[in-house]
Amino acid sequence: MADSIEQKIIAAIVTRLQLINGTGLYLTSIGTRVEDSRPHWSEDPERNELPAISVFQGPVTSEEMTDEDLKVFRTMQVAIRATLLRLDTAALDAAFARKALADIYRAIRSNDQWIVTSVPQATFTLEKGHDIIYVPESYGITGVQVDIEIQYIGSKFNLEA
């Protein structure tokens, strides 16, 4: 059974984010650990899990196209959430969070059609926004999140084509 287009896109995002390794144009190495839909990462220094990135698929909407209802235009929401190490000061945490955001954007813009084996999986990727994530009580920075929207054309009632 073939993977769905959405699985291919998410896998391509994970692979792309793994390139954030502190070399070339990347400012950080937050791509060391990247996983699909992992909700929690350990902050225990002995487990050495941070920094890390999780990629979450959100809602997908569909619009029928005008070609005799055989194709649909789908829009998939994706949240890219990086959990970061706490540094010595709030200013260092904020500066690192901004570098992490810049790296995630750099990885996305390198090819926003999410090509898998020479085949573009998406028609377009839209920037929806980003956020620095704070602990509510202390405003300590724990991570960042980038929200994107990926648009692709698929066959009606078929997520594999």
Side-chain angles (χ1 to χ4, degrees):
M1 179 183 258
D3 284 336
S4 71
I5 295 170
E6 293 167 7
Q7 178 60 42
K8 290 176 186 176
I9 291 170
I10 295 296
I13 293 169
V14 167
T15 299
R16 181 86 48 78
L17 294 172
Q18 289 171 337
L19 298 175
I20 303 174
N21 61 7
T23 63
L25 296 175
Y26 292 112
L27 305 171
T28 70
S29 58
I30 62 169
T32 305
R33 283 168 210 77
V34 184
E35 291 186 22
D36 177 2
S37 303
R38 182 165 174 180
H40 303 289
W41 296 91
S42 174
E43 293 182 29
D44 181 353
E46 290 182 18
R47 292 186 62 186
N48 196 29
E49 289 188 351
L50 298 181
I53 301 173
S54 296
V55 179
F56 298 100
Q57 178 178 337
V60 179
T61 58
S62 298
E63 287 182 42
E64 289 191 11
M65 298 179 71
T66 58
D67 63 351
E68 300 175 19
D69 298 329
L70 298 176
K71 296 281 185 186
V72 292
F73 186 76
R74 293 193 181 105
T75 302
M76 178 173 66
Q77 307 297 319
V78 176
I80 300 167
R81 187 171 190 142
T83 304
L84 306 176
L85 284 168
R86 302 288 295 271
L87 302 174
D88 293 334
T89 67
L92 289 174
D93 287 344
F96 188 80
R98 292 182 191 108
K99 287 179 183 179
L101 288 166
D103 281 349
I104 293 169
Y105 274 93
R106 185 171 283 112
I108 293 167
R109 77 173 175 253
S110 66
N111 185 330
D112 68 355
Q113 291 185 314
W114 309 105
I115 294 174
V116 177
T117 59
S118 302
V119 177
Q121 300 300 307
T123 54
F124 199 69
T125 300
L126 298 169
E127 175 184 340
K128 299 305 288 182
H130 62 272
D131 196 8
I132 294 177
I133 302 165
Y134 298 92
V135 176
E137 303 81 37
S138 68
Y139 283 99
I141 295 171
T142 61
V144 297
Q145 182 166 317
V146 172
D147 296 309
I148 59 176
E149 188 175 272
I150 298 173
Q151 299 173 342
Y152 71 94
I153 296 171
S155 297
K156 188 173 182 179
F157 294 113
N158 184 347
L159 292 178
E160 298 164 4

